[in-house]
Amino acid sequence: MHVNPSDVIILDGILILHDPRVRDLMNMKIFVDSDSDVRLARRIQRDTVERNRNIQYLLDQYAKYVKPGFEDFIHPTKKHADVIIPRGADNDVAINLIVEHIRTKLGQHDLCKIYSNVFVRHSTFQIRGMHRLVRNAKTTKHDFVFYVDRLIRLVVEHGLGHLPFTEKQIITPTGSVYSGVVSVSACVESLSLEDVKGIKPGESMENALRACCKGIKIGKILIHGEGNSGRQVNSRFKPTCAPLDKYTYSSLIFQIVYVQQRFKMLIYEKLPSDIASRHVLLLDPVLASGNSAVKAISVRLSKGVPESNIVPEGLHTVCNKYPKLKIVTSEIDTTLNKDLHVIPGMGEFGDRYFGTGSRVTPS
């Protein structure tokens, strides 16, 4: 059977949740739980009017085959449902919630529909206005830095929200009990990369990160590659270490910057010995081809970090290679040109942020 592509595809059937292969294809699994008396009444009305069957025959068939079949094969699939709707079509509240959820999904970026692990921060007029300013070639360095810092702070906060937390109660100054949350991990770690010119776009994200987390632990890595122009590119990050309040954030946080390259080679790395037990937030101001992110992620995975514990920002390349990662960003650009430059883009991020080189060179 051929199903044409569509934004919403509805699969309907009493055994639709039985096959795990079918369940894995679904974004939302719904079980409509009608009362048994209602189901019997509907069956009698349908079969007597539309099929001209005898009522006694229907009752015998229901007791001997239909009801046992439901209890043995259909009702057990209820446990696989994401949403259970009691009273069926009469439950307006549940149906309206599902409709609003679908409308929200349809309003997302197309790539969020393709990749369930991509999260674009909810756009507002403020965010769109800031993106207009940072993309404008005439924006001054001072304004560029100011609005980039605001956008980075929003993305960092959103990314931290995907880390695991547990509930915790505290006592307020009024003596009242307040139920909040606390991070389940133990420390935060940051990484910024430096290219051959000594520019550190990754460091542009450190201020926002430090503002969100009381302490940052930094490791070391050196990635070496060949650019399209033939020049060599080196990236590294410098380590510092600071203890954290036991109630502050608990993940391993990395910052990376995209450097346009044909290939990547790891020259040197020094990471915490317990990195495998950490949650990793991988920060990147601009990601084009995704090659740098893939290399940085592969280093973490080689140290035993579970793929699902890494939260980067990037898209096609990273999503295809690491589908369990959660990807957080403030906006998705249209495409890359033949030279792997982001379109419409914002220019060479590091040059614009730190005031070096041309501000309008494609990123």
Side-chain angles (χ1 to χ4, degrees):
M1 186 175 89
H2 176 74
V3 178
N4 292 324
S6 178
D7 288 334
V8 179
I9 297 176
I10 299 176
L11 301 179
D12 178 33
I14 58 176
L15 293 173
I16 198 68
L17 299 180
H18 177 73
D19 193 328
R21 296 170 298 177
V22 177
R23 294 199 302 266
D24 291 341
L25 298 175
M26 298 178 181
N27 298 108
M28 178 186 288
K29 298 178 287 294
I30 301 173
F31 188 95
V32 181
D33 193 10
S34 297
D35 184 79
S36 58
D37 292 339
V38 173
R39 295 197 302 268
L40 177 57
R42 289 174 179 171
R43 186 178 187 88
I44 292 175
Q45 184 178 21
R46 181 197 66 186
D47 287 1
T48 56
V49 174
E50 298 178 10
R51 302 176 182 177
N52 198 28
R53 291 178 179 173
N54 180 273
I55 292 182
Q56 187 58 48
Y57 169 80
L58 292 176
L59 294 176
D60 292 341
Q61 183 189 48
Y62 181 83
K64 188 174 183 179
Y65 300 109
V66 178
K67 189 173 183 293
F70 172 82
E71 294 174 348
D72 291 342
F73 302 107
I74 300 174
H75 189 266
T77 66
K78 182 178 178 179
K79 64 184 178 182
H80 300 301
D82 301 313
V83 179
I84 298 173
I85 305 180
R87 305 188 309 280
D90 296 329
N91 195 331
D92 293 334
V93 174
I95 293 174
N96 287 336
L97 289 173
I98 293 171
V99 170
E100 289 303 316
H101 175 77
I102 294 175
R103 285 176 177 169
T104 300
K105 290 295 184 181
L106 292 177
Q108 291 179 338
H109 192 281
D110 288 342
L111 288 177
C112 295
K113 301 172 189 175
I114 299 173
Y115 302 115
S116 60
N117 57 333
V118 174
F119 301 87
V120 180
R121 199 187 190 289
H122 176 67
S123 182
T124 64
F125 289 130
Q126 281 286 316
I127 291 178
R128 290 174 61 189
M130 287 187 285
H131 271 284
R132 177 187 65 83
L133 288 166
V134 300
R135 294 172 185 278
N136 191 342
K138 296 181 180 180
T139 297
T140 64
K141 174 184 177 295
H142 178 272
D143 287 344
F144 180 83
V145 171
F146 177 79
Y147 291 108
V148 162
D149 285 346
R150 285 186 61 187
L151 286 169
I152 290 174
R153 174 67 180 267
L154 292 173
V155 174
V156 168
E157 291 278 14
H158 194 86
L160 290 172
H162 287 272
L163 298 176
F165 289 82
T166 184
E167 291 188 2
K168 184 177 180 63
Q169 290 186 339
I170 54 93
I171 304 299
T172 71
T174 63
S176 304
V177 176
Y178 176 81
S179 297
V181 297
V182 62
S183 173
V184 301
S185 312
C187 68
V188 177
E189 188 140 338
S190 172
L191 176 155
S192 60
L193 300 185
E194 177 180 337
D195 69 21
V196 72
K197 297 181 294 185
I199 301 173
K200 308 169 188 175
E203 284 192 0
S204 66
M205 310 186 81
E206 285 191 6
N207 289 336
L209 186 59
R210 293 179 188 277
C212 296
C213 309
K214 293 184 65 174
I216 300 175
K217 222 171 147 184
I218 303 178
K220 273 192 178 180
I221 192 172
L222 174 63
I223 298 176
H224 174 76
E226 182 93 5
N228 285 350
S229 61
R231 69 182 178 89
Q232 291 183 335
V233 179
N234 294 320
S235 298
R236 74 181 182 188
F237 64 94
K238 301 177 179 180
T240 60
C241 185
L244 288 185
D245 185 290
K246 63 180 179 180
Y247 298 130
T248 56
Y249 296 104
S250 60
S251 65
L252 179 64
I253 295 192
F254 288 97
Q255 295 177 313
I256 70 166
V257 58
Y258 166 72
V259 182
Q260 188 173 311
Q261 300 178 71
R262 293 294 186 191
F263 61 88
K264 303 281 181 180
M265 182 168 59
L266 177 66
I267 302 298
Y268 174 77
E269 57 85 10
K270 183 178 180 182
L271 300 173
S273 58
D274 60 344
I275 188 174
S277 63
R278 301 176 183 268
H279 289 268
V280 179
L281 182 62
L282 184 63
L283 305 180
D284 189 350
V286 178
L287 182 65
S289 71
N291 293 331
S292 295
V294 167
K295 184 61 182 179
I297 292 168
S298 67
V299 174
R300 263 105 244 149
L301 295 179
S302 69
K303 298 298 180 181
V305 178
E307 183 177 318
S308 57
N309 283 9
I310 304 175
V311 185
E313 290 132 30
L315 285 179
H316 284 299
T317 303
V318 178
C319 282
N320 288 326
K321 191 169 182 64
Y322 305 109
K324 294 182 181 180
L325 276 68
K326 292 182 179 179
I327 299 173
V328 181
T329 184
S330 64
E331 195 166 78
I332 300 175
D333 276 18
T334 305
T335 187
L336 302 179
N337 63 15
K338 60 183 178 62
D339 296 318
L340 301 182
H341 296 152
V342 178
I343 302 299
M346 67 177 72
E348 190 67 48
F349 183 88
D351 286 339
R352 295 192 69 186
Y353 193 90
F354 294 101
T356 59
S358 172
R359 294 184 304 161
V360 295
T361 303
S363 61

